[in-house]
Amino acid sequence: MVKRTLIIIALVASVGRLSAQQQFITKGKIEYERKTNQHALMDDNSLFDDMAKKSLPKFVTYYFDLTFKDGKSVYKPGRDPDQKQNRFWGLLDADNIILDNLDSGTCVSQKSIFGDTYLISDSLRKIDWKVTTETRKIAGFDCRKAVGKVLDSIIVVAFYTDEIVPAGGPESFTGLPGMILGIAIPKMHTTWYATKLQVIDVADKDLAAPRKGKKYQGKDFRGQITDIMKDWGDQGKKLQWQIML
Amino acid sequence: MKRTTLLVLSILAIIRCANAQTSSIKGTVIDTSEKKILNNSVIALLKKTDSTLVNFTRADKAGNFTINGLPQGTFILMITYPAYADYMDTINLKDNPSIDLGKISMTLKSQLLQEVIVSRKLGAIRIKGDTVEYKADSFYMKAGSTVEDLLKKLPGITVDKDGKITAQGETVQKVLVDGEEFFSDDPTIATRGLTADVVDRVQVFDKKSDQATFTGIDDGQKTKTIDLKLKEEKKKGFFGKLELGTDGSNYWNGNGMINAFKKKRKLSAFGIISNTGRTGLDWQENMNYGGDNPNMQMGFEDGGMFISISGNGDDLDNPGGNYYGQGVPKGWAGGINYANKWNEDKVHLNGSYQYNKLNTETEGNNQSEYILQNNHYFTNQTNNSFRSKYRNKLQGIYEWQLDSLSSLKITADGSMGHTNSYSSFQTQYVDTLGNIFTKNNRHTSSSLDAKTFNSSALYKQKFKKQGRTLSILFSQAYKENNSDGFLNSETDTLENSLYYPKELIDQQKLSSSITGTITGKITYTEPINKRSLLEFNYGVNNNHLQSSRSAFAKNGSNAKYDQLVDSLTNDYTFNVLSNTGGINYRYSKAKKITLSIGANLTKAEYTRRDIKGDSMSRYSFTNFYPQANVSFNLGQSGRLNFTYNGSTVDPNIDQIQPLKDNTDPLNVKVGNPNLKQGFRNSISMFYNNYKLLSERNVFFWLNFQETQNDFSSISTLFSDGKRYITPVNVNGNYGMNGSLYYNKKIKKWKVYTGANLRINLNHNTNYVGEFKNVNNSYTLGGGPNFNYDKEKKWSIWVQTGFSYNNSKSTISPGVVTKYWSQQHEIGLNVFLPWKMEMGTDATFMIYQKTAVFANNTNTTKWNAHIERKFLKSETARLRFEAFDILDQNIGVNRNISSNFISQTTYNTLRRYFMLSVVYNFSRNGKPMSW
């Protein structure tokens, strides 16, 4: 696949922008770097977590790829990080696979939670984005900042670019007028930032829906998780956010 | 969540009904100067009130756009196109079914100046060098205000509506919190994420580049930085607890603990007195009120976690005290601990002092069967003992993070203690007909002084290349014991229906031993690629043991112990110098496999010296220690791990010192200087699988070990029951144990239930005279359990355990020892009105009787308590408890893994009642829990 692709690194894309015709990207592959400050996720008043802080690095980094073409995108784990990422139990596996169907407003997510795999069919998350005039560059693209709220109380800061047409993004974040290249969730001490974009041909098989796991409807899945996590106290709350993201 | 969705849906429905009328807009986007069509422009409608995105579209090839189905209201129309300035306009869709915006012209980006209104107020401002400092409390803030709101009020600082901060005319690029960089490089995440009331001071300064800070040479690169200093009172306070309990006469349990902290400084102290088994801090209390444990390490592998505690501490070191249910204890303990961190946590110091004292009175009974070739006999022993032990211990840890790549850790601890003990034993030897053919009465006493000193230094260095590390360790351990004691024993044997004194012993025993160890080790790891690395290590270890023992018989003429008993006197040293080198290969592929394989080669030089006999022998062993560990992630849901390692087992000095130990004159231990080092092969595996939604948990483990040249014994028996026991090497000993747990929640009844199975199997060889005896024993056990918990209402749990035990010895294949034993527990907790709570639990121990173990050892230990919480914060409790209500508690221990099988019963804490008050106090802090 890579062989017959035409790779345009973001830098090239931004140089190209100086030429007469603006290029709008409709397909390709974006790599996101997800970074979590796991020390901040740990409790201040737990002996266990206190010990864990001493022996675990502050940041856990994982990579994800978002392959997209027109109204469809698949988000899944990307390359292995250079260094083994030691993480504590409260930080879940980073191996969600999510197919977003932007045209029909639906998605299929494969999530693994403590070793169990679930396949959840749902509608795209509706987020009331407040759009700002602030911009910043991510992976060479000018991105506009928008702020939204999910799961009742979690503030999400997103940066999207209008140079990429599909209104998608990492994890379950969509709905801005362009591709989301950066996400920061302060309460979860986690950021996703695009590191590069490859403008490549995307075949249908690259956009296949995930298939593994026990099937659930989004509503039932959320209900069950909420039910179980309510016995888990503060840690449960943090896990719940990660699971339902 | 469900409810909110419903609510939102219904509100939307209402809005829809109320505003059935919808509007549409259309237009065309072009470039002003070039008259170019700007297809793919984003046309977005934002709510005028809070700029929430309502709808958006993109312009088509002709630059045209249409948005239909828009609700009524006032909106901001935002049109964007890369490299063009944003187009913003307000449009009103009220009573306008459709608006044609016509041609919308965009201009290339130019700097738009945004007007920012800043309210200024003069307050407490200080200037320190090139730092401007604002005192946050000087500026009135509404509750819930963010740091950004605070910054807006500070003179000289402006914040625009995007959160961009300008200080002294320059854009602020970094916002630090207590000197630490907030992990996202978007400053607004810190300024909008923190509330103003936690901030004490705001500092504005130019941060020099890291290079300049490091070299001290100013390279002119500066970053305008704001540092938010958080309030100290959030970091100053104390917590602790006080507990007092008694039954008014015989039982008491009191303890007090406090930890006062200020920033990173911790000062804690505790005191405990108790005769109800509470003789030290428990794990949790030790972490909160005791000192750091220098030997505790924690590691993480693939989301799994392990805690390891190494070290050669004695039983007073154990968290949870040092009383394991044998005898009746009285304990006193106290300690103070100081810990602090400096220089941005780079330097950490911890020092502590602890005092422990424990007195134990034990009464016990031991019944044994000696299974011999064509014969067997029994012993019956009762014993009484008293032991009093105290210890003073000092400990310090110093850690220094030299720079981001290297660190140094130094630990030192020393202790001095003393133990006095007195014991008396009455033993009867009984033949198969029930005749007592030998009797023994003996008394022993000893007074022991113990000293220890240990220290270590560990230097760790990382390198720029990921995975390349170096660590250098030096450590030293020293232990000295000196004891002075007496043995008084009389053995009578049956001859012609009368007992005659056979052996009378009245001796003083002196012994001293020194153990000194010095270790140096260097480890280097070099990455091969992203997934694998090689580890090289080299170490030198010198272990020196010295033991001198002497016995003096009482002189009949002057009643002094001045007659040296040669056969019980010896002065011996044992030195092992070993050089170890090894290599390890480690590989890991995330979510698939983790592998580690390697080997060490050790050359160990032994020197044994009998000082009095003036003989010395030297010899050496070269050993190869392979090790392998592989861990698979089985699909998504399980993990399977295998470990193999080979290791040597060294005899201790008591086993090799060529000396008789007649402390028990009927079971005389004789050292064997020819005892060889053993080599042990261990294989273990485990599997676990946890499913969250079904709340199902499976856990399985199995260990197997086989030892070459294992240490066993030769028993030489005499007709009067006397036995000489000498350690000897044997081959072919193996043992295996394993467990399987399965637990699952039954959703319908909200019951958590499951079962476990256990297996334990041993194959041991020993010698009875010339005869080689092989004993095979096993225990199979398990049972179901269940647990129901209605939160804040009541809970019940039941745990059962059934075990079948079987033991056979080749010396007498006809004699099989087999019995069932059971241990079941049941518990109930109920929350009552008026802040009351009660609970009760019972443990049932049932041992099947056998020919040897004929006395009844079945017990039911039943406990109950009731308590009430007091104070508004419910931090005080009044508690009444009844322990072992039926007054049946005893300790039982059966051993069937050789042809000498035995059952020991001993006294332990029995029925008591206690009324206690517990008070937890705190200000700005609370003890850490799990």
Side-chain angles (χ1 to χ4, degrees):
Chain A
M1 215 200 66
V2 178
K3 269 179 209 155
R4 58 183 179 86
T5 53
L6 171 89
I7 301 174
I8 304 172
I9 306 297
L11 196 72
V12 183
S14 65
V15 171
R17 218 180 300 147
L18 293 173
S19 64
Q21 197 56 48
Q22 171 68 38
Q23 294 289 319
F24 283 93
I25 296 156
T26 57
K27 62 189 175 187
K29 189 159 121 181
I30 301 166
E31 182 187 77
Y32 292 92
E33 182 185 68
R34 189 190 91 166
K35 225 174 165 169
T36 306
N37 177 350
Q38 61 175 346
H39 286 193
L41 277 179
M42 295 175 197
D43 273 356
D44 276 342
N45 258 304
S46 157
L47 297 169
F48 183 91
D49 289 1
D50 207 48
M51 281 191 281
K53 275 177 204 166
K54 285 180 192 154
S55 54
L56 288 173
K58 195 163 180 177
F59 289 101
V60 178
T61 308
Y62 286 109
Y63 293 93
F64 288 88
D65 290 332
L66 183 77
T67 311
F68 63 96
K69 187 181 180 184
D70 303 324
K72 256 189 177 181
S73 71
V74 168
Y75 174 79
K76 61 178 168 200
R79 69 180 157 111
D80 283 338
D82 289 347
Q83 230 185 340
K84 194 181 154 93
Q85 301 294 306
N86 276 331
R87 65 191 160 90
F88 91 124
W89 71 275
L91 189 61
L92 293 177
D93 286 342
D95 49 9
N96 287 355
I97 302 177
I98 299 167
L99 170 89
D100 281 343
N101 202 325
L102 303 170
D103 296 334
S104 65
T106 58
C107 64
V108 182
S109 323
Q110 178 181 309
K111 298 184 175 190
S112 100
I113 300 151
F114 291 116
D116 255 346
T117 307
Y118 304 97
L119 192 68
I120 305 135
S121 304
D122 210 342
S123 51
L124 285 178
R125 189 195 294 280
K126 173 86 183 89
I127 302 167
D128 285 334
W129 293 110
K130 290 186 191 357
V131 180
T132 73
T133 54
E134 195 186 342
T135 61
R136 63 184 289 188
K137 261 196 162 51
I138 296 174
F141 290 88
D142 280 319
C143 293
R144 183 180 295 271
K145 179 167 155 183
V147 181
K149 200 193 260 184
V150 297
L151 301 170
D152 300 336
S153 63
I154 316 267
I155 302 289
V156 180
V157 182
F159 297 91
Y160 75 92
T161 178
D162 55 2
E163 291 175 56
I164 303 173
V165 177
E171 296 287 347
S172 64
F173 301 107
T174 60
L176 283 164
M179 183 60 76
I180 298 172
L181 295 185
I183 292 272
I185 305 183
K187 213 165 181 173
M188 292 173 64
H189 305 277
T190 305
T191 57
W192 289 254
Y193 282 116
T195 52
K196 64 180 177 194
L197 165 81
Q198 294 170 301
V199 179
I200 52 170
D201 264 344
V202 173
D204 282 350
K205 69 171 170 56
D206 302 329
L207 296 169
R211 283 196 308 269
K212 269 198 246 166
K214 204 173 167 189
K215 288 195 174 70
Y216 275 92
Q217 287 301 317
K219 198 176 56 145
D220 302 337
F221 181 77
R222 287 191 294 270
Q224 207 161 343
I225 293 292
T226 312
D227 206 39
I228 291 168
M229 288 301 161
K230 70 168 184 250
D231 298 338
W232 287 39
D234 280 351
Q235 284 290 353
K237 199 97 204 160
K238 289 177 195 164
L239 282 172
Q240 195 177 334
W241 296 336
Q242 291 180 59
I243 293 168
M244 295 206 195
L245 207 61
Chain B
M1 182 78 212
K2 209 185 275 177
R3 200 181 298 158
T4 345
T5 326
L6 257 173
L7 195 70
V8 170
L9 281 175
S10 50
I11 288 171
L12 283 177
I14 292 164
I15 291 169
R16 276 196 173 256
C17 292
N19 298 302
Q21 196 184 358
T22 60
S23 302
S24 69
I25 56 165
K26 64 175 183 181
T28 312
V29 187
I30 55 158
D31 178 319
T32 347
S33 52
E34 296 177 41
K35 303 286 177 229
K36 202 171 64 183
I37 285 160
L38 296 178
N39 63 323
N40 267 328
S41 302
V42 167
I43 298 94
L45 274 183
L46 315 177
K47 252 188 229 163
K48 171 87 174 162
T49 47
D50 61 359
S51 69
T52 302
L53 181 66
V54 177
N55 209 335
F56 67 89
T57 190
R58 286 196 184 243
D60 66 13
K61 275 184 187 154
N64 298 324
F65 67 87
T66 314
I67 307 177
N68 293 319
L70 290 168
Q72 303 287 288
T74 313
F75 298 95
I76 296 167
L77 174 73
M78 181 182 85
I79 303 179
T80 67
Y81 191 90
Y84 280 75
D86 298 342
Y87 176 94
M88 300 268 192
D89 196 7
T90 306
I91 55 169
N92 198 330
L93 292 182
K94 261 181 199 147
D95 312 318
N96 272 328
S98 128
I99 295 181
D100 188 349
L101 297 160
K103 286 190 176 169
I104 297 165
S105 300
M106 303 277 287
T107 41
L108 274 163
K109 199 169 269 180
S110 60
Q111 192 66 39
L112 288 178
L113 288 171
Q114 276 146 349
E115 206 174 302
V116 180
I117 301 154
V118 184
S119 60
R120 295 192 171 221
K121 184 194 173 213
L122 288 175
I125 306 168
R126 274 193 293 174
I127 296 174
K128 291 197 245 171
D130 45 7
T131 303
V132 181
E133 188 178 272
Y134 302 88
K135 188 106 183 71
D137 285 350
S138 318
F139 303 87
Y140 171 75
M141 300 302 301
K142 263 190 293 186
S145 306
T146 63
V147 169
E148 189 178 293
D149 298 332
L150 171 67
L151 292 180
K152 282 178 182 169
K153 292 202 169 185
L154 302 182
I157 298 180
T158 58
V159 185
D160 73 11
K161 68 183 169 66
D162 300 330
K164 200 166 94 178
I165 307 159
T166 311
Q168 293 133 26
E170 286 176 61
T171 304
V172 172
Q173 291 170 40
K174 274 196 158 89
V175 174
L176 310 178
V177 178
D178 266 341
E180 268 197 74
E181 210 157 318
F182 224 64
F183 79 106
S184 171
D185 53 357
D186 181 0
T188 58
I189 286 167
T191 54
R192 290 179 179 170
L194 286 170
T195 52
D197 63 336
V198 301
V199 178
D200 181 44
R201 284 163 295 144
V202 176
Q203 293 181 343
V204 182
F205 55 90
D206 292 318
K207 191 179 158 78
K208 287 177 191 150
S209 72
D210 288 345
Q211 185 64 29
T213 316
F214 185 69
T215 58
I217 300 161
D218 199 336
D219 57 3
Q221 287 188 28
K222 284 174 181 173
T223 315
K224 188 60 84 181
T225 304
I226 284 185
D227 189 1
L228 304 168
K229 295 283 182 194
L230 302 189
K231 279 181 184 161
E232 293 301 348
E233 61 250 38
K234 301 270 174 192
K235 304 175 201 162
K236 183 182 161 189
F238 57 82
F239 58 81
K241 76 165 184 176
L242 199 64
E243 179 174 355
L244 288 168
T246 181
D247 69 339
S249 55
N250 297 320
Y251 289 93
W252 30 270
N253 177 23
N255 58 69
M257 302 165 197
I258 183 162
N259 182 334
F261 58 92
K262 186 180 174 185
K263 282 196 269 184
K264 303 286 163 120
R265 193 213 66 200
K266 273 196 332 190
L267 191 63
S268 56
F270 71 91
I272 295 169
I273 55 167
S274 168
N275 68 351
T276 57
R278 175 87 151 86
T279 55
L281 296 173
D282 69 20
W283 254 94
Q284 192 166 323
E285 290 164 347
N286 198 46
M287 303 289 278
N288 279 308
Y289 306 102
D292 281 5
N293 187 337
N295 301 316
M296 188 161 73
Q297 282 197 317
M298 193 181 198
F300 285 80
E301 282 291 328
D302 275 345
M305 188 276 318
F306 62 85
I307 298 173
S308 63
I309 299 163
S310 57
N312 41 7
D314 66 11
D315 57 354
L316 287 175
D317 276 330
N318 292 303
N322 33 65
Y323 167 69
Y324 298 106
Q326 284 222 19
V328 177
K330 276 184 191 147
W332 298 260
I336 52 170
N337 178 55
Y338 170 83
N340 209 343
K341 288 178 184 175
W342 294 272
N343 199 4
E344 292 173 353
D345 294 358
K346 284 184 181 129
V347 178
H348 174 204
L349 177 75
N350 181 303
S352 65
Y353 163 77
Q354 283 200 10
Y355 172 82
N356 293 73
K357 183 177 174 183
L358 175 67
N359 288 356
T360 348
E361 278 176 77
T362 314
E363 283 168 35
N365 177 278
N366 178 293
Q367 288 169 298
S368 304
E369 180 182 21
Y370 290 25
I371 302 166
L372 303 174
Q373 225 164 332
N374 300 306
N375 186 14
H376 56 131
Y377 63 89
F378 307 92
T379 69
N380 216 323
Q381 183 180 78
T382 58
N383 65 282
N384 289 284
S385 66
F386 173 76
R387 190 180 83 148
S388 175
K389 179 172 185 170
Y390 74 80
R391 190 188 65 175
N392 291 287
K393 187 177 179 179
L394 268 173
Q395 175 184 294
I397 302 170
Y398 178 78
E399 278 176 282
W400 184 16
Q401 188 76 39
L402 299 156
D403 55 53
S404 62
L405 296 174
S406 57
S407 67
L408 178 68
K409 180 176 179 176
I410 295 168
T411 69
D413 65 78
S415 73
M416 283 170 78
H418 188 84
T419 307
N420 276 323
S421 53
Y422 312 94
S423 304
S424 67
F425 302 86
Q426 291 84 43
T427 316
Q428 294 174 334
Y429 284 69
V430 185
D431 64 18
T432 39
L433 301 170
N435 299 317
I436 298 168
F437 60 92
T438 298
K439 292 197 286 195
N440 175 270
N441 274 316
R442 68 189 161 98
H443 303 275
T444 61
S445 66
S446 90
S447 164
L448 171 84
D449 275 311
K451 291 179 194 133
T452 64
F453 182 76
N454 306 305
S455 61
S456 73
L458 172 66
Y459 175 78
K460 281 187 190 171
Q461 173 79 53
K462 284 190 224 168
F463 297 89
K464 287 263 157 60
K465 186 165 183 181
Q466 297 278 17
R468 184 182 289 169
T469 64
L470 176 72
S471 79
I472 302 168
L473 169 76
F474 288 103
S475 72
Q476 158 282 328
Y478 177 84
K479 190 163 133 183
E480 187 185 315
N481 284 340
N482 290 304
S483 94
D484 182 358
F486 293 91
L487 167 69
N488 202 313
S489 161
E490 178 179 342
T491 309
D492 299 337
T493 52
L494 183 68
E495 272 168 55
N496 306 321
S497 313
L498 286 168
Y499 292 100
Y500 293 94
K502 174 90 186 288
E503 189 181 25
L504 290 167
I505 301 171
D506 190 358
Q507 291 174 347
Q508 182 182 20
K509 288 177 173 291
L510 300 174
S511 86
S512 75
S513 71
I514 290 171
T515 309
T517 309
I518 295 172
T519 307
K521 191 178 178 185
I522 179 161
T523 309
Y524 176 78
T525 62
E526 176 67 29
I528 302 170
N529 53 38
K530 268 191 214 172
R531 290 198 176 128
S532 56
L533 62 80
L534 276 175
E535 180 191 288
F536 303 90
N537 67 71
Y538 175 74
V540 185
N541 180 66
N542 191 71
N543 190 16
H544 184 82
L545 300 150
Q546 193 176 316
S547 168
S548 72
R549 290 171 179 237
S550 46
F552 296 91
K554 196 175 193 174
N555 189 333
S557 57
N558 59 9
K560 279 187 180 162
Y561 294 92
D562 59 4
Q563 294 180 321
L564 187 71
V565 184
D566 274 346
S567 65
L568 302 173
T569 300
N570 184 274
D571 211 344
Y572 203 72
T573 68
F574 179 37
N575 195 79
V576 187
L577 170 67
S578 56
N579 281 270
T580 303
I583 185 165
N584 246 305
Y585 170 77
R586 285 192 263 152
Y587 173 86
S588 80
K589 186 172 179 192
K591 297 167 196 168
K592 291 270 188 292
I593 185 170
T594 308
L595 176 88
S596 154
I597 186 159
N600 280 357
L601 196 67
T602 297
K603 186 172 185 215
E605 289 166 69
Y606 290 77
T607 311
R608 293 171 172 176
R609 188 194 289 256
D610 190 335
I611 291 165
K612 202 171 115 250
D614 202 20
S615 69
M616 189 174 82
S617 67
R618 280 174 195 273
Y619 50 94
S620 69
F621 289 113
T622 302
N623 269 304
F624 179 68
Y625 303 78
Q627 77 82 21
N629 183 325
V630 57
S631 179
F632 300 98
N633 284 34
L634 287 187
Q636 289 278 348
S637 54
R639 199 154 88 96
L640 182 63
N641 181 290
F642 291 97
T643 304
Y644 163 79
N645 75 64
S647 60
T648 50
V649 198
D650 280 314
N652 63 40
I653 197 154
D654 295 341
Q655 286 171 308
I656 58 164
Q657 188 169 13
L659 177 73
K660 278 197 286 188
D661 174 5
N662 68 338
T663 311
D664 180 354
L666 288 165
N667 289 289
V668 178
K669 290 177 191 151
V670 187
N672 176 4
N674 297 315
L675 203 62
K676 282 183 263 181
Q677 194 182 39
F679 191 86
R680 184 167 292 157
N681 292 297
S682 309
I683 300 168
S684 64
M685 63 169 288
F686 76 83
Y687 169 77
N688 67 26
N689 189 333
Y690 175 67
K691 286 185 190 287
L692 179 78
L693 284 195
S694 51
E695 293 182 70
R696 194 210 70 186
N697 195 8
V698 184
F699 187 66
F700 168 74
W701 57 266
L702 195 66
N703 294 326
F704 175 83
Q705 62 182 34
E706 182 266 346
T707 312
Q708 292 156 25
N709 284 325
D710 198 5
F711 309 138
S712 181
S713 65
I714 297 182
S715 297
T716 311
L717 290 135
F718 300 92
S719 60
D720 56 2
K722 193 169 186 138
R723 178 160 77 136
Y724 273 51
I725 306 157
T726 305
V728 65
N729 290 110
V730 296
N731 278 319
N733 277 5
Y734 63 79
M736 188 182 86
N737 55 45
S739 253
L740 170 70
Y741 291 90
Y742 180 94
N743 270 290
K744 187 181 181 351
K745 186 165 189 173
I746 299 176
K747 290 245 162 59
K748 213 160 81 184
W749 304 314
K750 298 202 164 176
V751 166
Y752 198 62
T753 184
N756 71 78
L757 281 174
R758 284 178 296 117
I759 181 169
N760 184 358
L761 189 147
N762 286 295
H763 175 95
N764 288 323
T765 303
N766 65 326
Y767 288 88
V768 179
E770 293 293 298
F771 192 88
K772 181 184 176 186
N773 171 54
V774 178
N775 176 276
N776 281 298
S777 64
Y778 66 85
T779 300
L780 282 176
N785 62 68
F786 98 104
N787 160 1
Y788 175 85
D789 187 3
K790 178 102 180 160
E791 214 181 335
K792 296 278 169 208
K793 290 265 191 289
W794 63 287
S795 63
I796 185 166
W797 48 272
V798 177
Q799 185 122 26
T800 62
F802 299 88
S803 297
Y804 177 73
N805 307 272
N806 186 303
S807 169
K808 252 188 244 186
S809 290
T810 53
I811 195 164
S812 182
V815 183
V816 180
T817 305
K818 54 184 179 186
Y819 62 91
W820 281 93
S821 58
Q822 299 174 46
Q823 178 170 346
H824 310 303
E825 288 171 46
I826 179 164
L828 175 74
N829 265 306
V830 184
F831 285 81
L832 303 169
W834 306 293
K835 295 182 182 176
M836 303 243 287
E837 196 184 323
M838 63 153 284
T840 182
D841 62 89
T843 307
F844 308 92
M845 308 274 274
I846 301 161
Y847 289 91
Q848 188 183 11
K849 288 180 194 174
T850 71
V852 194
F853 312 139
N855 56 345
N856 183 19
T857 50
N858 295 346
T859 58
T860 302
K861 188 173 98 182
W862 177 32
N863 310 320
H865 72 266
I866 182 158
E867 62 182 39
R868 186 185 191 280
K869 295 190 180 99
F870 287 93
L871 303 185
K872 209 158 92 188
S873 50
E874 301 195 349
T875 48
R877 278 179 299 153
L878 183 68
R879 178 184 164 98
F880 176 75
E881 75 177 309
F883 178 85
D884 187 23
I885 295 166
L886 305 176
D887 202 18
Q888 292 189 354
N889 201 17
I890 54 165
V892 180
N893 200 350
R894 284 184 181 180
N895 184 350
I896 57 167
S897 62
S898 78
N899 60 319
F900 304 104
I901 61 172
S902 67
Q903 171 178 279
T904 308
T905 56
Y906 47 84
N907 69 326
T908 182
L909 281 171
R910 289 284 274 266
R911 176 167 64 198
Y912 67 79
F913 300 95
M914 186 166 277
L915 187 69
S916 333
V917 275
V918 184
Y919 175 50
N920 292 292
F921 53 92
S922 67
R923 196 174 76 201
N924 276 337
K926 58 174 181 175
M928 291 198 279
S929 61
W930 294 108

